[in-house]
Amino acid sequence: MEPGDGELILKHAGKLGFEGVVSKTIDAPYAQGNGRLWRKSKCLSRQEVVVVGWSDPEGSRPHLRALLLGYYTDDGRLIYAGRVGIGMSDKVLAGLRHRLEPLARKTSPLSVPPSRKTRFGSPLVLSRVHW
């Protein structure tokens, strides 16, 4: 293989329906785990999103339950994209909450309110959302 073949490999992986390709630099040693040596290059389409809010914690989860995300359309509208929250440590959650609280506002920045129904997870409870 020649340098630069990575783009060709990634293109073919995408055509095969793969989510991505995991790789490392040629001079790095093989090592177990999810360290800095390994990189995942995604094949799927990407969309830039912004944090539009967060939901209150529930159960044993501290600080916040999920981040609410939105994306801008070509005509400048901010549309609800969904929520994320899996895989964040308590320390990361605390840091996020600390950074988000000063940015809170009373009203939603979204062009259209998010649906309370969802295909995945529990319904969004707007009374537990901070914008």
Side-chain angles (χ1 to χ4, degrees):
M1 289 211 161
E2 296 294 321
D5 286 345
E7 288 181 30
L8 182 62
I9 292 168
L10 190 60
K11 180 179 177 181
H12 286 294
K15 286 181 180 179
L16 291 170
F18 292 176
E19 179 182 343
V21 175
V22 176
S23 59
K24 67 172 192 59
T25 59
I26 199 163
D27 59 339
Y30 281 96
Q32 275 187 325
N34 224 357
R36 288 184 250 168
L37 302 176
W38 296 99
R39 299 287 183 256
K40 181 175 181 183
S41 303
K42 292 192 171 219
C43 297
L44 305 175
S45 298
R46 295 178 183 201
Q47 173 72 51
E48 289 190 19
V49 295
V50 295
V51 175
V52 297
W54 73 92
S55 57
D56 282 333
E58 288 185 16
S60 63
R61 185 177 175 97
H63 312 294
L64 61 88
R65 180 171 183 175
L67 296 175
L68 281 62
L69 306 176
Y71 63 92
Y72 284 99
T73 62
D74 290 339
D75 61 358
R77 294 181 303 133
L78 185 56
I79 305 297
Y80 179 68
R83 39 188 175 164
V84 295
I86 296 174
M88 291 187 257
S89 69
D90 289 355
K91 184 177 179 180
V92 168
L93 291 171
L96 281 170
R97 181 77 185 239
H98 178 75
R99 292 174 66 192
L100 289 170
E101 281 184 339
L103 304 173
R105 54 186 279 175
K106 293 182 192 271
T107 59
S108 168
L110 299 168
S111 298
V112 177
S115 172
R116 287 183 247 171
K117 295 180 182 178
T118 178
R119 295 184 307 163
F120 308 104
S122 59
L124 183 61
V125 180
L126 294 178
S127 64
R128 298 184 59 85
V129 167
H130 301 270
W131 302 109

